[in-house]
Amino acid sequence: DGNISDPNNSVVNAVQFHPGSDEESPLLMTAGMDKMLRFFRIDGEENPKIHGIHFPKLPITCASFLGDSGSVVMSGRRPFFHVYDAISGNIQKISSIIGRKERSLEKFTVSPSGDVIAFVGNDGYIILVDGKTRQWISDLKMNGSVRAITFSEDGEYIMGSGSDGDVYK
C-alpha cells in the first residue's frame, strides 16, 4: 500500500514514481478526484506521506512529473491546468493555451525529459506545450478523435490512437 499513511478519499487517477528518486526509497505521487496531490516516501513498511496539497477547484484526472524535475503538471475536466513546483511550493495556473479553445485539458502525457506536454485536444488535435515556458509549440492532427497518446521511451516520437482505430506516429 503506497498511500497507506494517507489514502485518497476517492478515485485515484494518477500514480507515478519520480524518475530521479532513490531506488532504495522512491518518491511516489498520487492524485485523484478528491482534488489532492500527495507524495509518499516508499520504504516498504510505513510509506510515510511527505507532502500533500489540495486544489479546491480541480478534481485531478491526470498528473505527471515533468521529467526528473521537482514539478508536477496536473489537469482535470477544465480548460486550464496547473504546474506545482514541489521544491519551492509555487503553483502556476495556466488558464488556457493561447490559440486553442479547449473545453477540457483533462488528458495529457509528458515527454520523458519533461520538455513537452502533449494534451488531447478537440477534433483530432494533439496540442504540444513547452514543459518549461508552458507556451504552445504546435498541433498535430489525426483523423477522428484522439483517444490515447504517449511518447516513445527516448522522447523522439509521439504515438496516438484514435476513434478511427489507427495508430499514428
Side-chain angles (χ1 to χ4, degrees):
D1 266 348
N3 63 346
I4 195 166
S5 63
D6 187 16
N8 292 63
N9 297 321
S10 66
V11 175
V12 176
N13 288 320
V15 177
Q16 185 183 14
F17 285 103
H18 187 282
S21 65
D22 179 18
E23 288 183 25
E24 299 293 318
S25 184
L27 182 67
L28 177 71
M29 176 268 302
T30 68
M33 298 304 282
D34 63 355
K35 305 174 188 173
M36 287 290 297
L37 176 68
R38 294 174 174 87
F39 300 95
F40 300 90
R41 180 65 60 196
I42 304 302
D43 62 9
E45 294 174 20
E46 295 179 18
N47 303 330
K49 177 179 161 188
I50 303 299
H51 183 62
I53 184 163
H54 184 248
F55 292 85
K57 296 183 179 179
L58 186 67
I60 303 167
T61 59
C62 195
S64 179
F65 286 107
L66 281 171
D68 64 0
S69 73
S71 295
V72 175
V73 61
M74 70 208 84
S75 67
R77 195 168 283 176
R78 304 282 189 269
F80 58 84
F81 65 99
H82 285 93
V83 177
Y84 174 65
D85 184 333
I87 296 167
S88 69
N90 290 333
I91 300 169
Q92 182 181 18
K93 179 182 178 183
I94 293 75
S95 36
S96 67
I97 298 172
I98 298 192
R100 298 293 311 175
K101 294 189 185 326
E102 306 301 320
R103 289 180 299 161
S104 174
L105 295 170
E106 66 188 284
K107 291 183 185 177
F108 67 86
T109 189
V110 175
S111 66
S113 65
D115 292 339
V116 179
I117 307 165
F119 287 94
V120 171
N122 296 333
D123 305 318
Y125 282 94
I126 298 171
I127 306 159
L128 303 180
V129 173
D130 186 285
K132 290 182 178 67
T133 66
R134 315 322 183 222
Q135 298 294 313
W136 174 84
I137 299 171
S138 183
D139 292 330
L140 302 173
K141 177 74 168 98
M142 293 175 34
N143 297 326
S145 59
V146 182
R147 298 286 189 231
I149 50 177
T150 190
F151 281 90
S152 61
E153 195 173 316
D154 62 5
E156 290 294 314
Y157 299 98
I158 186 167
M159 279 105 16
S161 66
S163 60
D164 60 358
D166 290 335
V167 175
Y168 296 78
K169 178 177 172 183

